[in-house]
Amino acid sequence: MTGLLGMPRVRLGTFPTPLVAAPRLSAAAGVEIWFKRDDLTGLGLGGNKVRGLEYLLADAQRRGCDVLVTGGGPQSNWAMLAALAGRTLGMDTVLVNFGHPVEPVGNLALAVSVGAQVRFTGDDDRSSVDRAVASVADELSAAGRTPYPMGRGGATGVGALGYVAAGLELAGQLHDTGLAPAQLWLATGSCGTHAGLRAAAAWLRPGYDVVGVTVSRPAAEAAERVDRIAAEASDLIGTPRASAPPVVVDGFLGPAKGSRSPEGEAAAELVARTEGVFLDPVFAAKAMAGLLAAARAGTAVGPVVFLVTGGAPTLFT
């Protein structure tokens, strides 16, 4: 247990990201909303995954690895940023996508442009990525490489440390602005971001509840993953584990996993027209739809901080 400052970290992003008021959205929603702009993390087109990659790639360097192996869907913000981060450190990347080959557009096109090798599992089941990542890592090891396999979204205790650090960063900004939010809302997908913020809240006791809107898996599964990964992160740095169950809001998955939803599209349009901020249609837009619904129902307690997680390339697909 070395504490957060003792954990290996490489600097990839530009921090702190802004914490800004959203007055016109607040008026429309009926609850005070602030944005934590993690779409402005500074690597590539930004996004929340940069924070976790700072710790994961430091771990890869510590282990002497020379190639990253990870994946997700063809439009995975995580996979593209992993490839870009690896390139900035002189590391190759192999990306494994579920499903069958598709035209490289959006995030996939960006990953290819930085030299990532792309493979497809031929299986539409998202979990096929996990099996293929392990297989590719074994293949690379047999060929004399030193791979660093990473699961979808970098959702491990090490990866979650990026959002433990973000919790510290946010605490300083809240102190400087005099803001005392009641809730912090975000999209919960692979669960690493939510887990890191949960671990940070258990440690720092900031006074707000962390509320995740599940956007790609059943709420019960998401809550279990958030709890487990947060505990791993807390144990790594020797801070108290969270005791209360994670808060995960269901009902905003849309017609299919990894797809847009009508509610998300409407929420993203409202945010763009009131504040000039673009939300990723598959993740942050659905989370905003959840927040707006809670505001209408009177269950969103302000002030609220909403984590803008980025993902701009998916807007062009």
Side-chain angles (χ1 to χ4, degrees), residues 199-213:
W203 174 25
L204 303 172
R205 306 285 183 181
Y208 55 71
D209 295 323
V210 179
V211 181
V213 178

Side-chain angles (χ1 to χ4, degrees), residues 17-281:
T17 57
L19 175 67
V20 297
R24 290 161 297 279
L25 177 63
S26 299
V31 65
E32 183 181 353
I33 299 172
W34 289 63
F35 288 146
K36 176 62 172 164
R37 294 290 305 273
D38 272 14
D39 54 326
L40 303 177
T41 50
L43 180 70
L45 300 181
N48 63 315
K49 300 302 185 183
V50 175
R51 291 189 185 270
L53 284 164
E54 292 196 328
Y55 289 90
L56 288 162
L57 267 62
D59 188 49
Q61 286 186 325
R62 182 180 64 83
R63 296 172 184 270
C65 298
D66 60 1
V67 56
L68 306 175
V69 186
T70 190
Q75 290 308 316
S76 168
N77 299 309
W78 153 256
M80 182 276 289
L81 283 169
L84 180 55
R87 181 57 61 222
T88 67
L89 299 178
M91 303 176 72
D92 295 329
T93 304
V94 180
L95 299 180
V96 181
N97 294 319
F98 63 81
H100 301 272
V102 295
E103 181 183 356
V105 296
N107 275 313
L108 184 57
L110 294 175
V112 170
S113 74
V114 298
Q117 182 187 134
V118 179
R119 304 188 188 187
F120 290 84
T121 66
D123 186 339
D124 290 333
D125 183 355
R126 289 169 172 260
S127 66
S128 66
V129 171
D130 304 323
R131 297 187 294 272
V133 164
S135 176
V136 170
D138 289 342
E139 174 190 323
L140 290 167
S141 294
R145 304 294 298 273
T146 307
Y148 188 77
M150 300 185 291
R152 287 173 288 160
T156 65
V158 173
L161 294 179
Y163 270 89
V164 177
L168 277 171
E169 177 182 301
L170 179 59
Q173 291 176 310
L174 294 175
H175 178 270
D176 291 344
T177 60
L179 181 67
Q183 296 176 329
L184 168 60
W185 282 68
L186 74 151
T188 299
S190 58
C191 300
T193 297
H194 190 159
L197 290 170
R198 173 174 169 80
W203 174 25
L204 303 172
R205 306 285 183 181
Y208 55 71
D209 295 323
V210 179
V211 181
V213 178
T214 185
V215 296
S216 61
R217 65 184 73 235
E221 179 187 341
E224 184 280 326
R225 284 176 59 86
V226 167
D227 194 43
R228 172 170 48 81
I229 297 166
E232 292 173 5
S234 296
D235 291 350
L236 280 171
I237 58 175
T239 56
R241 289 186 176 189
S243 55
V247 180
V248 179
V249 175
D250 205 355
F252 297 91
L253 287 174
K257 295 178 182 179
S259 68
R260 302 177 183 226
S261 72
E263 298 85 358
E265 296 280 6
E269 181 178 352
L270 176 63
V271 172
R273 293 192 176 188
T274 55
E275 300 296 341
V277 173
F278 300 117
L279 299 183
D280 155 63

